[in-house]
Amino acid sequence: GQDRGAGRACRMTAAPRRVLCLCGSLRRVSSNRAVLQAACQLAPPALELVLYEGLGRLPPFNPDDDVDPLPPSVRALREAVGRADALLIACPEYAHGVPGAFKNLLDWLVGSLEFPGKPILLLNTAARGSYHAQEALAEILCTMSAQLLTAQPVAVGLPGAGCTEAQVLANAERCAELRAALDVLLTEIPFGPS
């Protein structure tokens, strides 16, 4: 018999790797949010970046409430983390530490089954090279059994508070830094079932 598939190219494509972007700031105009939004625009087809928007809706963490049924915003956070192949985090420094709202988000993930082993890439958007919060954040994430993809956060030196997505995208140097971060995600996150 004749091979009906002869002459047809068979090309299998993997689904894009899903990256959940977590911004550590609640500010309406946040440089950290702007850099994550810009990363979403610059992402190649092999990466699907999704910005988490629920930080301000999470209740204050209380271990007594970390039981079924979870508060709906906490359940939504954990489900989003569970669907992600990796996390991309941009978090500002506040008083030499991690902002309280973002630490609260992390506290809600400590007891989750979705978080341990999750690949994470950190971005540092401080032009001054701030490191206190980045070191504290890395320590917290390692304690939570995260898999940090780089030893140091990827630097994306923004001028300061109030930077917009458009300003980030208009700066060739910032775009190159973000593309380097996206390359780390492409290289370090394995393809596999989502």
Side-chain angles (χ1 to χ4, degrees):
Q2 184 179 348
D3 181 359
R4 295 178 189 248
R8 259 191 271 157
C10 179
R11 184 174 156 224
M12 295 183 62
T13 58
R17 288 167 278 183
R18 186 178 184 91
V19 179
L20 183 64
C21 300
L22 299 176
C23 176
S25 175
L26 288 171
R27 297 182 82 142
R28 283 185 299 280
V29 180
S30 159
S31 296
N32 288 280
R33 182 177 322 291
V35 82
L36 291 171
Q37 290 168 326
C40 290
Q41 295 300 316
L42 296 171
L47 292 175
E48 177 190 4
L49 273 63
V50 177
L51 186 61
Y52 173 73
E53 299 283 1
L55 180 63
R57 292 189 292 276
L58 294 171
F61 177 72
N62 179 341
D64 294 338
D65 295 333
D66 196 3
V67 294
D68 285 328
L70 289 168
S73 58
V74 174
R75 187 178 66 251
L77 168 65
R78 289 183 177 182
E79 288 171 356
V81 169
R83 285 190 304 271
D85 297 305
L87 305 178
L88 179 63
I89 298 176
C91 185
E93 181 169 302
Y94 191 75
H96 280 196
V98 176
F102 196 69
K103 179 61 168 77
N104 184 58
L105 176 147
L106 295 175
D107 287 344
W108 278 113
L109 292 174
V110 167
S112 76
L113 299 176
E114 298 84 0
F115 188 84
K118 191 66 68 174
I120 296 178
L121 183 62
L122 299 177
L123 300 178
N124 184 352
T125 63
R128 300 185 305 272
S130 116
Y131 61 90
H132 299 285
Q134 299 295 323
E135 289 177 355
L137 183 55
E139 175 64 24
I140 293 165
L141 293 169
C142 287
T143 299
M144 294 172 63
S145 300
Q147 177 195 347
L148 294 179
L149 297 178
T150 58
Q152 297 295 318
V154 175
V156 182
L158 300 180
C163 188
T164 66
E165 174 187 355
Q167 289 171 311
V168 176
L169 291 170
N171 186 309
E173 191 174 346
R174 301 298 77 86
C175 289
E177 292 164 344
L178 279 173
R179 284 189 180 98
L182 294 168
D183 284 345
V184 170
L185 291 169
L186 278 172
T187 303
E188 298 297 326
I189 305 170
F191 276 106
S194 291

